[in-house]
Amino acid sequence: MTDRFAGTVLRRPDQGDTRPTLGEIGLSQFAPYLMNRVMARWNANMSDALKAHDMTTTKMRALAILSISSTLTINELSVYAVTEQSTMSRTLDALEEQGYIRRQPRAEDMRVRDIAITEDGRAVFDAVWPTMYALLTQMFEGVDGDEYVAFVATLHKILRNIRKHDI
């Protein structure tokens, strides 16, 4: 962390420092603003690309997560997909109707429903994955491997600082 960064953005009021104004920091150095811009653009690009597959970003997130998980509950899937549980519930209804997922009661607790991707769901996700990967590589064009690894490590640190869930 550079002195300029530490001295301007991350002053610590609890250590006697004064809190900088947003004007002092500037939008171009205010990480939450930049993260929102990046993710809004990613989501808009994904939404446009997914229309060709008759898919929404929430459906894509659910199928993506289920494609690498054996089964999950709706609560777990909602957290991983960064989606409200009510939205995920409606999304799962639609995915089940399309034959892309199945819900089954958990043997040890019949109140819990485990959600799994079907072969049709996996095929649809496999058709979407090249688009997702192309958008990922476009987003990180000009970023070398070491920078990417450091960026992801930093994101994990930030997530640990703000997380509400263990997953």
Side-chain angles (χ1 to χ4, degrees):
M1 182 180 323
T2 67
D3 288 340
R4 179 186 174 285
F5 180 75
T8 304
V9 178
L10 295 182
R11 295 181 196 161
R12 304 284 187 208
D14 59 329
Q15 297 171 349
D17 290 338
T18 59
R19 184 176 291 115
T21 66
L22 182 57
E24 289 175 305
I25 296 171
L27 288 179
S28 66
Q29 296 300 311
F30 192 62
Y33 170 76
L34 295 172
M35 291 187 291
N36 279 330
R37 282 196 63 191
V38 167
M39 291 319 305
R41 177 56 17 220
W42 165 267
N43 286 326
N45 289 348
M46 280 304 307
S47 181
D48 288 345
L50 291 171
K51 287 177 186 170
H53 299 277
D54 193 28
M55 178 85 46
T56 65
T57 54
T58 307
K59 285 181 178 180
M60 176 273 303
R61 287 179 193 162
L63 292 177
I65 294 158
L66 291 169
S67 76
I68 59 173
S69 304
S70 55
T71 63
L72 293 170
T73 66
I74 188 170
N75 291 341
E76 293 166 331
L77 192 52
S78 295
V79 171
Y80 282 126
V82 192
T83 303
E84 294 290 328
Q85 187 176 347
S86 59
T87 301
M88 183 54 66
S89 182
R90 288 188 303 276
T91 299
L92 293 175
D93 289 345
L95 288 171
E96 190 171 39
E97 192 173 299
Q98 291 174 291
Y100 297 158
I101 61 129
R102 70 177 176 282
R103 294 185 248 202
Q104 54 198 26
R106 187 174 285 173
E108 57 274 7
D109 187 346
M110 297 298 278
R111 297 169 298 175
V112 176
R113 299 272 187 247
D114 285 319
I115 303 157
I117 194 168
T118 64
E119 287 305 314
D120 286 347
R122 191 169 303 284
V124 167
F125 178 72
D126 288 346
V128 170
W129 173 244
T131 300
M132 287 178 66
Y133 189 75
L135 290 173
L136 172 72
T137 58
Q138 175 191 11
M139 183 168 37
F140 283 95
E141 192 167 317
V143 176
D144 70 32
D146 289 341
E147 289 172 313
Y148 182 84
V149 169
F151 175 71
V152 170
T154 301
L155 289 174
H156 282 284
K157 287 178 184 178
I158 293 167
L159 185 59
R160 276 192 303 273
N161 290 340
I162 66 169
R163 94 171 6 145
K164 288 185 175 187
H165 305 280
D166 289 336
I167 55 177

